[in-house]
Amino acid sequence: MSMAATVVLYPSPGIGHLISMVELGKLLLTRHPSFSITILTTTTSFNTGSTAPYLRRVSSTTPSITFRDLPVIPLDPASFPSTEAITFKLLRLNTPHVRRSLLSLSTTTTIAAFIIDLFCTPALPLGSELNIPTYYFFTSGAADMPSPMLERNSTEYECFIDFFNHMPKSDGIIVNTFEALEPRALKAISDGLCVPTGVTPPVFCIGPLIASGEDRGGGGGDVEECLAWLDTQPSRSVVFLCFGSLGLFTGEQLKEIAIGLERSGQRFLWVVRAPPTQTPVLLALPDPDLGSLLPDGFLDRTKERGMVVQSWAPQVAVLQHDSVGGFVTHCGWNSALEAVCAGVPMVAWPLYAEQRLNRVLLVKEMKLALWMNESESGFVTAEEVEKRVTELMDSEEGKAVRDRVKAASEGTREAMSEGGSSRVALAKLVESWKQS
């Protein structure tokens, strides 16, 4: 293989998918600097968490990663039932553009491997057509049950079944996890239980891949302010509440969280987004008006021990801060890994995508989180918020979870260090490209 080989990454458009794919690119460059990395990016006509500032920052800090924008395909969010439906349609329409990009790249360089997101399955056949080894990069944990799987008559369900049927046809599956975190799921896969009728492709656990402290979008002055505030708080005393790039609550739910936090007496750093309005969730949202959203006088009464930030906080830096002792999270996989790496125990409050499944894993299997109980409709009362936050910060059960997270955090360092399981898996993966 010639020196100037490139690895092409094709993430789906959501910021969560994009970040872990970029981190995969950086990891490859760190360990195997002879490769260059090309990332195919999809511009959407709907909100997937703001990606532009993030992409600009990566381009400036890591010049060996090149972004190639695929042509814009205008789709109207109003005519689709869900974010998943519009995303899957967009990625199907992308395929000819992806093919053109791969062809034009291969005139100037050898494409060593083509790595696609699960949702980018429509591009899988391009690999065998153009004779490029093609791998899936699975940005969640190794076991998974996303919400669209629950509704069997939907197009989203059909798309998922199609994705999962195609997965075994790839040259391998790269997963953002590490062996010691999910031993049972990985054993089931390697024993062939997941593909009873065919061949299971090799699985490479190369995680945890998380963005570095300064790398997650927006911020500016607010970032400094919230880290400076944490500097003034006692060690491990603050509960951090943050619900991902698309996590939105009604005004009513925000008030319950506020009352629960106030009653708990715990110190807190809470990221609040404006509640969804009648405009579809797929459009970007304004900053919230905290005064009208939160109970009267709440900000004044809690100003000594609490801080509310609007829309965004530097999550990795916050979780790694010495003052943070607990995390109420929507259980997005990136967030869960960031908490595990930082050794911060969690309260699991899933909202969308595969988060309910992640909660079962985090609470029941790994025992790194407590369960936030909600009503049938998903509503959580102030009492429940108060109880769980207090339990996490101030009980034997909370302490047991904290000790296990500490051990898992050590495990992440072992996996990523010289001779660790994730380092070995990455070396095997790259070896397989060099032979093709």
Side-chain angles (χ1 to χ4, degrees):
M1 184 182 283
S2 73
M3 276 308 287
T6 194
V7 177
V8 179
L9 308 181
Y10 177 29
S12 78
I15 183 94
H17 292 256
L18 186 63
I19 287 172
S20 31
M21 198 67 107
V22 167
E23 290 303 316
L24 174 63
K26 287 187 191 166
L27 179 70
L28 285 166
L29 289 172
T30 310
R31 304 266 179 267
H32 302 276
S34 61
F35 288 117
S36 65
I37 303 287
T38 303
I39 300 184
L40 305 179
T41 50
T42 303
T43 312
T44 61
S45 51
F46 51 95
N47 177 30
T48 50
S50 166
T51 53
Y54 171 72
L55 293 176
R56 275 198 301 277
R57 209 168 38 256
V58 173
S59 300
S60 64
T61 53
T62 317
S64 342
I65 295 184
T66 313
F67 292 100
R68 276 181 84 118
D69 293 335
L70 297 165
V72 177
I73 299 172
L75 290 176
D76 173 20
S79 54
F80 289 87
S82 68
T83 312
E84 285 94 359
I86 190 172
T87 304
F88 300 165
K89 174 75 170 174
L90 183 64
L91 295 171
R92 276 204 301 284
L93 296 174
N94 258 351
T95 307
H97 300 308
V98 173
R99 184 171 183 274
R100 214 163 297 138
S101 283
L102 292 172
L103 284 170
S104 96
L105 273 168
S106 52
T107 58
T108 55
T109 173
T110 310
I111 301 178
F114 179 40
I115 300 179
I116 64 176
D117 192 298
L118 175 68
F119 297 163
C120 300
T121 291
L124 181 68
L126 299 176
S128 47
E129 180 199 334
L130 306 174
N131 214 4
I132 304 165
T134 304
Y135 296 78
Y136 275 98
F137 178 41
F138 201 62
T139 53
S140 298
D144 209 286
M145 191 65 174
S147 50
M149 292 299 291
L150 307 174
E151 184 48 71
R152 292 195 163 194
N153 311 338
S154 65
T155 46
E156 297 94 319
Y157 180 82
E158 273 171 43
C159 289
F160 267 101
I161 294 299
D162 184 54
F163 299 160
F164 293 135
N165 280 334
H166 279 88
M167 253 188 158
K169 301 178 181 148
S170 65
D171 291 291
I173 300 166
I174 305 161
V175 189
N176 188 8
T177 191
F178 58 104
E179 285 173 14
L181 188 64
E182 301 189 71
R184 284 203 335 168
L186 291 164
K187 185 176 184 329
I189 295 169
S190 66
D191 289 351
L193 302 180
C194 301
V195 193
T197 53
V199 178
T200 301
V203 173
F204 303 92
C205 297
I206 48 90
L209 294 182
I210 63 169
S212 55
E214 64 292 338
D215 238 10
R216 297 270 311 242
D222 297 353
V223 173
E224 303 317 312
E225 195 190 342
C226 103
L227 295 175
W229 180 81
L230 283 173
D231 289 343
T232 66
Q233 303 298 317
S235 177
R236 302 278 167 250
S237 68
V238 176
V239 181
F240 176 48
L241 298 93
C242 189
F243 299 93
S245 48
L246 299 170
L248 302 173
F249 291 119
T250 60
E252 188 189 2
Q253 180 68 82
L254 289 173
K255 288 198 167 65
E256 291 289 311
I257 297 174
I259 295 166
L261 281 177
E262 185 172 351
R263 286 192 196 145
S264 76
Q266 300 292 335
R267 298 166 191 273
F268 63 86
L269 173 63
W270 178 21
V271 181
V272 173
R273 294 171 174 270
T277 49
Q278 290 316 303
T279 55
V281 125
L282 305 167
L283 304 172
L285 291 158
D287 266 352
D289 166 18
L290 297 177
S292 65
L293 285 175
L294 302 174
D296 279 349
F298 170 77
L299 293 170
D300 278 341
R301 290 192 302 274
T302 57
K303 68 171 183 286
E304 298 306 311
R305 59 180 174 84
M307 181 176 187
V308 177
V309 240
Q310 300 190 2
S311 304
W312 188 85
Q315 183 164 298
V316 177
V318 168
L319 287 168
Q320 288 168 353
H321 196 287
D322 176 66
S323 302
V324 172
F327 182 26
V328 180
T329 172
H330 65 310
C331 307
W333 191 246
N334 289 342
S335 295
L337 285 178
E338 286 162 10
V340 170
C341 288
V344 176
M346 291 166 270
V347 174
W349 183 347
L351 300 173
Y352 54 93
E354 90 295 12
Q355 295 158 6
R356 285 191 185 322
L357 185 96
N358 291 349
R359 166 167 68 181
V360 173
L361 286 173
L362 290 166
V363 176
K364 304 268 201 264
E365 175 98 355
M366 303 170 188
K367 302 188 166 56
L368 304 177
L370 301 174
W371 190 284
M372 184 73 90
N373 293 300
E374 62 222 308
S375 70
E376 279 290 293
S377 66
F379 193 73
V380 172
T381 62
E383 286 73 24
E384 177 66 11
V385 172
E386 175 188 3
K387 195 159 123 199
R388 285 295 164 250
V389 165
T390 308
E391 185 183 6
L392 184 68
M393 300 303 280
D394 217 6
S395 74
E396 280 308 304
E397 176 62 8
K399 185 182 175 310
V401 170
R402 174 166 289 114
D403 292 343
R404 280 191 293 269
V405 175
K406 232 187 228 103
S409 168
E410 288 304 310
T412 64
R413 278 188 282 281
E414 276 163 36
M416 294 302 264
S417 61
E418 201 53 65
S421 59
S422 295
R423 285 283 283 271
V424 170
L426 185 73
K428 276 195 187 133
L429 174 66
V430 171
E431 210 34 58
S432 67
W433 304 338
K434 291 185 169 158
Q435 284 151 11
S436 58

